[in-house]
Amino acid sequence: MTMTATVSHPLPEAPFEGRHLIDGIWQESADSATFDRVSPSHGVVVSRSARGGAKETEAAIAAARRAFNGGKWSRATGKERSMFLLRVADLIEANVERMALLETLESGKPISQSRGEVAGAADLWRYAAALARTLHGDSHNSLGEEMLAVVLKEPIGVVSIITPWNFPFWILSQKLPFALAAGCTCVIKPSEMTPSTTVMLGELLVEAGLPAGVVNIVLGFGQPVGALMAEHADVDMVSFTGSTAVGKAISAVASRTLKKVALELGGKNPQVVFPDADLDAAADAITFGVYFNAGECCNSGSRIIVHEDIADALVGKVVALSRKVAFGDPLNPETQVGAIISTTHQQKIAAYVRDAVAAGASLALGGKAVSHPGLPGEFYAPTVVTNVTPDMPIAREEVFGPVLAVLTFKTMEEAVSLVNDASYGLSAGVWSENVHTCLAFARRAEAGTVWTNTWMDGFPEVAFGGFKQSGQGRENGRYGLDEFLEIKSVVMRIGQTRPNWVRGQQDHD
């Protein structure tokens, strides 16, 4: 492992002050309650946010409902929505540095990664702007000369958006611009661990001229804010990214009003490597896939399934590359892997590794917490675990840390069986120089995304989402826009062509 030097980067002189945005007005909580976020890497308070409760949540939902029913946004033209989204994209690009700094300090991710995510998110807003201009329904003119039917696509209504701590700004940008492009109004709750870039985005929305009430932000915790956003009768849809356990809880309470639920949940994503693969390319992609964002990523390539003939060679290459990855101070632009989000999560990661070794697995690298000079935060070493069997929790459950589990296979049938023998189905990868092998695997893998000879390449145009307990619904692409739309059929008769149904002459007293 390469340890990057701690750099002298000026920390903010005072914590960022976050407030709720409700009906176009920035507000403190009614009871003046706040909560602090301590940087997981630097151990200092970096943000202080208003702590919302039922009162603030109710007010935000009511504002979103009034705004939707008022029609200033929900009935705006596609051009009007598109022009607004483009203005926001420009403002995001103009504020990358200040947003990236808070993202790094709150999440522990490297500053270079934060810059890339914030700047890259502007492209999601621009793509959603294009969808707003091209949104259309269908027509049916083959129903007979006396009939014409059209299918309209209308905004679903008020949407609750609940986002996680691992990609606060990026994941919000996979949801909000698409909801706005559709004409919905929204209430947003960011994670209590990473609230600040959502507040900053709210500032940009106001600056860009968004009508009051169209987007509302409530800061706080799952109870009561998130729970009320999921169950409230005036909310038409919930879009959530986070753990599978919380996703199930949201589905349960949302079912009371039969509102739509879109979920992007966990993953235990495999990469299958066949003997004819380019092992150097595979090793680099595997190393990236498991350590990116410190493994705190639903798309983390946290298990590899390697043909037994090349397993030792591939593991050797991955271990060698792992030793070169720059772990360290997130404020150093050279750092590739930063801090773990919290002490509790660090302990969870360590427990998975410890239990695997106790059950007979072997450590090829790492398996321990590490420290970096001058930093009091939580860091975990790059870890490669071999001799893993399919029944071990480390092979089946989401570790959400920089930990790679290695399994082996002999045949395509065995590889596919190992891939699909999981409760998750978010993404999968295959490595082979034979296109037929790749296509055969891609068609049989139970995953929402299958990468061939690459890992975690993504585009605004391409839909993202999971099978099984990795979620339901899709983000990005046209399918991402469709999630926020209702379908309405309008059937029209042309002229006085409807035959009378009543034909008899009988009178009833």
Side-chain angles (χ1 to χ4, degrees):
M1 173 182 62
T2 298
M3 295 177 62
T4 61
T6 301
V7 297
S8 178
H9 191 290
L11 294 172
E13 295 182 0
F16 178 82
E17 300 284 345
R19 295 176 294 166
H20 315 295
L21 177 61
I22 301 174
D23 207 12
I25 301 172
W26 293 102
Q27 304 179 18
E28 304 290 348
S29 293
D31 60 2
S32 300
T34 62
F35 62 94
D36 292 347
R37 175 56 177 160
V38 175
S39 171
S41 54
H42 291 76
V44 298
V45 176
V46 292
S47 64
R48 178 164 294 125
S49 303
R51 180 168 181 163
K55 182 175 182 179
E56 290 76 21
T57 310
E58 290 274 8
I61 293 171
R65 173 53 60 194
R66 286 193 302 272
F68 184 81
N69 292 347
K72 191 171 183 179
W73 184 259
S74 57
R75 294 193 289 272
T77 66
K79 178 181 178 180
E80 289 169 332
R81 295 178 196 160
S82 177
M83 296 300 290
F84 171 80
L85 296 174
L86 291 173
R87 289 197 298 273
V88 175
D90 291 343
L91 288 171
I92 290 171
E93 288 185 333
N95 286 271
V96 167
E97 201 60 33
R98 64 185 287 263
M99 298 175 80
L101 177 60
L102 261 294
E103 187 102 324
T104 286
L105 291 174
E106 289 187 335
S107 71
K109 67 177 60 187
I111 186 68
S112 297
Q113 181 184 326
S114 292
R115 288 168 178 154
E117 289 172 11
V118 174
D123 197 36
L124 291 164
W125 286 79
R126 292 195 174 104
Y127 179 70
L131 293 180
R133 293 293 294 265
T134 56
L135 175 61
H136 63 86
D138 298 302
S139 63
H140 298 271
N141 63 348
S142 59
L143 305 176
E145 62 180 6
E146 74 280 3
M147 299 298 299
L148 177 67
V150 295
V151 177
L152 307 180
K153 294 183 178 181
E154 299 183 344
I156 198 168
V158 175
V159 180
S160 288
I161 296 177
I162 304 173
T163 55
W165 48 259
N166 56 338
F167 294 95
F169 193 76
W170 180 264
I171 289 177
L172 178 57
S173 295
Q174 288 190 143
K175 300 176 185 290
L176 181 59
F178 294 87
L180 293 176
C184 296
T185 60
C186 302
V187 179
I188 303 168
K189 190 199 90 66
S191 167
E192 65 275 10
M193 290 191 281
T194 53
S196 295
T197 51
T198 298
V199 175
M200 291 177 172
L201 177 61
E203 295 170 352
L204 303 186
L205 296 176
V206 172
E207 182 178 348
L210 187 67
V214 173
V215 173
N216 306 271
I217 300 169
V218 182
L219 309 177
F221 292 73
Q223 290 288 348
V225 178
L228 187 54
M229 288 171 61
E231 68 185 16
H232 202 287
D234 276 344
V235 170
D236 301 294
M237 176 182 173
V238 180
S239 179
F240 169 78
T241 296
S243 72
T244 296
V246 176
K248 290 178 179 178
I250 286 174
S251 290
V253 298
S255 68
R256 298 171 189 166
T257 53
L258 290 180
K259 59 172 56 70
K260 184 174 183 179
V261 177
L263 303 171
E264 197 275 284
L265 307 175
K268 189 64 180 177
N269 311 294
Q271 296 197 59
V272 176
V273 186
F274 285 87
D276 64 338
D278 181 335
L279 295 192
D280 290 326
D284 185 80
I286 289 166
T287 304
F288 159 70
V290 71
Y291 302 132
F292 175 69
N293 211 57
E296 298 168 327
C297 177
C298 59
N299 255 341
S300 174
S302 57
R303 60 176 175 141
I304 58 171
I305 301 170
V306 189
H307 194 279
E308 60 182 17
D309 290 349
I310 58 168
D312 289 344
L314 182 61
V315 169
K317 290 177 181 290
V318 171
V319 168
L321 290 175
S322 298
R323 297 182 188 278
K324 298 178 181 179
V325 176
F327 280 57
D329 185 351
L331 291 178
N332 184 340
E334 299 302 315
T335 295
Q336 294 173 285
V337 183
I340 303 300
I341 191 69
S342 69
T343 300
T344 301
H345 192 62
Q346 173 105 315
Q347 292 169 345
K348 174 188 170 185
I349 295 168
Y352 273 109
V353 176
R354 182 175 61 250
D355 291 349
V357 172
S362 304
L363 279 175
L365 181 69
K368 60 183 179 180
V370 293
S371 60
H372 295 286
L375 296 178
E378 301 288 353
F379 298 85
Y380 199 81
T383 299
V384 178
V385 185
T386 58
N387 297 322
V388 173
T389 56
D391 60 312
M392 293 179 180
I394 202 170
R396 308 184 65 84
E397 299 176 11
E398 195 173 34
V399 176
F400 231 57
V403 177
L404 180 67
V406 182
L407 298 90
T408 60
F409 73 96
K410 295 180 181 179
T411 66
M412 167 74 84
E413 290 294 329
E414 184 182 3
V416 171
S417 178
L418 287 170
V419 167
N420 293 339
D421 182 28
S423 58
Y424 297 112
L426 188 57
S427 56
V430 57
W431 292 85
S432 170
E433 294 297 286
N434 187 323
V435 66
H436 303 293
T437 299
C438 292
L439 290 175
F441 174 84
R443 297 188 69 169
R444 296 178 63 186
E446 296 172 354
T449 298
V450 179
W451 284 290
T452 68
N453 295 314
T454 188
W455 187 256
M456 223 184 296
D457 285 330
F459 304 90
E461 296 87 347
V462 181
F464 173 68
F467 287 15
K468 299 188 283 189
Q469 293 190 39
S470 285
Q472 57 193 40
R474 292 295 181 267
E475 296 180 341
N476 297 346
R478 285 197 168 272
Y479 298 100
L481 179 67
D482 287 346
E483 292 293 331
F484 299 101
L485 296 169
E486 281 281 20
I487 304 300
K488 177 187 288 183
S489 296
V490 179
V491 181
M492 299 172 282
R493 184 169 288 277
I494 301 171
Q496 300 298 318
T497 60
R498 183 181 180 276
N500 291 335
W501 180 69
V502 178
R503 300 188 304 271
Q505 301 301 316
Q506 185 175 2
D507 291 328
H508 296 277
D509 294 332

